[in-house]
Amino acid sequence: MFHPARWHRLVPLAIAAAVVVGAGSHVQAVAPPDRKVQAYEKAELIQLLRINTPTMADRKRLNTLDLDLAESAGKNYVDVVAYGNQDRRLLKLAGFTWSVLEDDLVGADQERERADAAYAKAVKTRAILATLPSGRTAYRQLADYNNDLASLASQYPTKVKPITLKNTSLEGRTVRGIEISRDVNVSNGKPVFIMMGLHHAREWPSGELTMEFAYDLLKNDGVVPRITNILDKARIVIVPVVNPDGFNLSRTLGYEMKRKNCRVTNGQIPTTGQCAQSSNQSRGTDLNRNYAGFWGGPGASTSLTSETYRGASAFSEPESRNIQSLVSSYQATTLITNHTYSNLVLREPGYAGAGNTPDEALYKSLGDQMAAQNGYDSQFGYELYDTTGTTEDWSYYATGGLGFTFEHGASSFHPAFSNIANFYFGSGSTAGKGNREAYLIAAESTINPARHSIITGTGPAGAVLRLKKSFNTKTWNGTLIPDVLDTTMTVPASGTYTYHANPSTRPITVQQGGTESWTLTCERPTGQVLETRAITVARGASVTANLTTCAAAF
Ligand code: 0X9
Ligand code: ZN
């Protein structure tokens, strides 16, 4: 089928690519266009297929074909984005059968755009009511996210603190977020809940739900007692767009099925427009395979054009390093990274061979409780398929904070926008619950002292207390990647502090029967260290450290 919109967008790029090939005699130096690019250029159908995989062996065999696995899988099937005739031929040759979930993804996206326009119009004419906390009626573009973050910060100066992540993206974009809490500008040792979206560019609802939760908390603080309590006792960190380059390409520049970041060539910063060229669309690092935890193991590819490319090395990408340093700078006792789709709440471990985590009972009960709200299945990451190098493969094992991947939606990476309110507030049997309720439960779990650790005592008002730990995270082949967790709080005027923290011993060390400690330092605001303590504290425990030496010297 011919896709006019798609074709117009691609023609100039296709010509540009041809010029490059024709310009020199070194045709070899230009990689041959891959299957995906060819499908787009020939305007062949791009389909969402549900491949029958009754056995584990079928799944493994499907994995070796290096197709764009939609990462949605049930007991007997795996969904695949098939780009044109070549992908379908490959599947047929390998003996697979399938049903067609979406016979024309490009056409479906155009239909979605029309439906979204009609929905927005109906809200405008008040034929239907806008239901989301922000009142949005269409998917945000990148600038909308940045504007919304900035306007929340200016609207609620004592409750919202804007944050800028450490690195710009490969294309030079600033990655932004906000902290939400009562007296947000006071460094008060509250436990932290981190919520993220859009590691994967095409998974638009993941950013929307993250952002709507921020609006909800701020609108309903002082109105809904549960939310007031959450702002009193926790700090919520919101980063809606982890992968701005990929998202911009997917949402705005017309390559809707972009998943990865803009890594076009390893070791090089992409030049302007390079990432959007049709010949480069398959390139990129899967940010959800680039974290150091078990990096380079099962479920990650070594090929730059694979949808699950792990990157040149652990944390090779500025966008995943951003989340590493973000998570390392808070005591995040809970973390949710939002994705689409499959209606799942996933917990560690991400690959079957890792064995149950030492926190399985608690981890499962929280996952199950959240899944009971949004109606998803609560399960291990590996039950979908083995992966390594995902966000929580690093964050959980490095910090002990309970991290979950939410996979929103039944059968689409970005369905019509009218679905977002249903995802957020629930619908049918989950009406009135939904992800809103799941997120609130995650926030309340963050506060629950039985689920993290507490260090408390006396210290001089105004002193900075630092909890620090340095260790190495192991990749799959045993390479050691240095990690430093480093967080601070300020002793309040009362002279009594409560520092909500993750346990001092990492899950991996718990599994081995060992213990680890935090190094607690009491410092002048200038950084001068006045007292140092080793603090060993388990999950659910509270220890007292009265910092008398510090108090005497302060
Ligand atoms: O494959 C992923 O990165 C995630 N799915 S997605 O469709 N959003 O790409 C799932 C990762 C969860 N972990 C495991 N499956 N082990
Ligand atoms: Zn994803």
Side-chain angles (χ1 to χ4, degrees):
M1 200 201 271
F2 187 67
H3 309 293
R6 159 70 54 196
W7 187 241
H8 285 301
R9 271 192 294 243
L10 285 180
V11 167
L13 303 173
I15 290 169
V19 169
V20 173
V21 174
S25 51
H26 308 289
V27 177
Q28 242 84 347
V30 178
D34 63 25
R35 306 196 303 264
K36 204 176 294 177
V37 173
Q38 283 186 351
Y40 272 113
E41 286 180 353
K42 292 184 187 163
E44 291 177 352
L45 281 182
I46 298 167
Q47 299 184 314
L48 189 57
L49 305 179
R50 182 152 287 186
I51 315 294
N52 300 314
T53 53
T55 68
M56 199 60 181
D58 290 329
R59 269 166 207 244
K60 287 220 165 104
R61 203 156 44 85
L62 183 63
N63 258 316
T64 63
L65 298 184
D66 198 28
L67 294 159
D68 183 358
L69 299 194
E71 326 283 11
S72 152
K75 290 248 173 320
N76 300 310
Y77 67 86
V78 178
D79 292 354
V80 163
V81 181
Y83 295 83
N85 301 336
Q86 287 201 52
D87 276 9
R88 281 183 290 271
R89 204 172 306 132
L90 200 66
L91 283 160
K92 223 176 234 159
L93 280 175
F96 287 105
T97 58
W98 59 82
S99 54
V100 177
L101 287 186
E102 180 52 69
D103 72 344
D104 176 7
L105 276 172
V106 175
D109 207 69
Q110 287 162 0
E111 251 167 59
R112 181 201 52 72
E113 269 172 39
R114 280 193 293 274
D116 285 1
Y119 174 75
K121 200 171 156 196
V123 173
K124 215 171 175 185
T125 59
R126 296 181 177 273
I128 53 171
L129 291 176
T131 44
L132 285 165
S134 71
R136 284 285 312 178
T137 57
Y139 281 111
R140 291 172 172 89
Q141 298 196 355
L142 187 56
D144 299 320
Y145 280 107
N146 289 330
N147 290 340
D148 283 352
L149 291 170
S151 78
L152 287 176
S154 71
Q155 201 183 337
Y156 302 101
T158 65
K159 297 185 207 177
V160 175
K161 179 176 162 190
I163 53 177
T164 299
L165 279 76
K166 198 170 167 189
N167 310 294
T168 54
S169 67
L170 282 173
E171 289 193 318
R173 294 190 171 82
T174 301
V175 183
R176 299 180 191 280
I178 49 174
E179 293 178 16
I180 301 175
S181 189
R182 177 108 34 250
D183 301 323
V184 72
N185 295 304
V186 180
S187 176
N188 42 25
K190 291 177 190 176
V192 173
F193 169 29
I194 298 184
M195 269 271 279
M196 297 179 288
L198 287 163
H199 269 78
H200 289 145
R202 61 192 173 190
E203 301 175 2
W204 308 350
S206 68
E208 296 294 335
L209 295 169
T210 303
M211 201 67 215
E212 291 304 326
F213 186 56
Y215 272 89
D216 198 355
L217 290 175
L218 291 161
K219 263 179 72 173
N220 287 312
D221 175 41
V223 178
V224 175
R226 279 176 77 189
I227 290 182
T228 310
N229 183 50
I230 288 167
L231 264 77
D232 283 343
K233 297 189 182 140
R235 186 177 296 266
I236 322 292
V237 176
I238 302 274
V239 180
V241 189
V242 173
N243 175 11
D245 300 348
F247 176 62
N248 192 50
L249 201 49
S250 170
R251 174 72 186 90
T252 309
L253 298 183
Y255 179 34
E256 293 96 0
M257 293 310 279
K258 179 77 184 176
R259 166 181 167 94
K260 301 181 290 174
N261 76 346
C262 274
R263 179 63 76 184
V264 177
T265 309
N266 280 318
Q268 285 178 27
I269 301 295
T271 54
T272 310
Q274 200 181 9
C275 184
Q277 283 175 13
S278 62
S279 56
N280 290 329
Q281 284 179 341
S282 305
R283 293 168 168 258
T285 297
D286 183 354
L287 297 177
N288 211 27
R289 299 293 181 278
N290 191 241
Y291 288 80
F294 314 108
W295 179 87
S301 169
T302 55
S303 159
L304 181 70
T305 55
S306 163
E307 293 295 353
T308 55
Y309 178 50
R310 65 193 194 180
S313 56
F315 286 129
S316 57
E317 306 308 306
E319 297 91 351
S320 51
R321 280 202 308 278
N322 270 342
I323 305 307
Q324 178 196 25
S325 55
L326 182 87
V327 171
S328 301
S329 67
Y330 295 101
Q331 293 293 339
T333 65
T334 319
L335 177 150
I336 293 177
T337 175
N338 290 287
H339 287 254
T340 66
Y341 63 88
S342 287
N343 288 343
L344 296 169
V345 170
L346 299 174
R347 66 182 184 279
E348 287 296 291
Y351 76 97
N356 278 4
T357 74
D359 297 305
E360 169 58 10
L362 167 60
Y363 217 154
K364 179 180 180 347
S365 80
L366 177 54
D368 287 358
Q369 203 194 345
M370 293 190 293
Q373 315 308 316
N374 55 23
Y376 300 173
D377 286 337
S378 166
Q379 60 185 49
F380 296 114
Y382 68 74
E383 290 179 68
L384 188 56
Y385 43 79
D386 273 349
T387 58
T388 48
T390 69
T391 306
E392 309 92 284
D393 289 340
W394 171 77
S395 73
Y396 167 71
Y397 290 99
T399 72
L402 299 179
F404 295 87
T405 293
F406 277 29
E407 296 276 3
H408 302 280
S411 60
S412 173
F413 291 111
H414 46 266
F417 186 79
S418 56
N419 286 282
I420 302 298
N422 293 341
F423 290 178
Y424 193 67
F425 292 110
S427 64
S429 61
T430 64
K433 295 193 281 184
N435 283 291
R436 175 184 205 252
E437 190 64 26
Y439 295 159
L440 290 174
I441 286 171
E444 287 166 344
S445 180
T446 304
I447 297 167
N448 184 345
R451 296 179 172 191
H452 59 264
S453 307
I454 290 177
I455 304 149
T456 185
T458 56
V464 172
L465 305 186
R466 184 181 303 278
L467 281 179
K468 197 165 170 179
K469 188 147 56 109
S470 303
F471 53 91
N472 291 311
T473 287
K474 248 193 204 166
T475 68
W476 188 257
N477 73 6
T479 305
L480 300 178
I481 307 295
D483 259 310
V484 183
L485 309 182
D486 187 349
T487 68
T488 59
M489 73 167 286
T490 304
V491 179
S494 67
T496 300
Y497 72 90
T498 304
Y499 207 153
H500 295 266
N502 274 313
S504 59
T505 306
R506 285 172 299 147
I508 269 176
T509 311
V510 173
Q511 265 167 344
Q512 295 160 351
T515 55
E516 290 171 355
S517 50
W518 287 111
T519 299
L520 170 68
T521 49
C522 181
E523 306 174 3
R524 286 194 212 277
T526 56
Q528 189 190 358
V529 175
L530 301 175
E531 187 171 357
T532 303
R533 299 280 199 96
I535 304 287
T536 305
V537 59
R539 196 182 293 281
S542 173
V543 298
T544 303
N546 292 325
L547 302 165
T548 45
T549 307
C550 187
F554 194 72

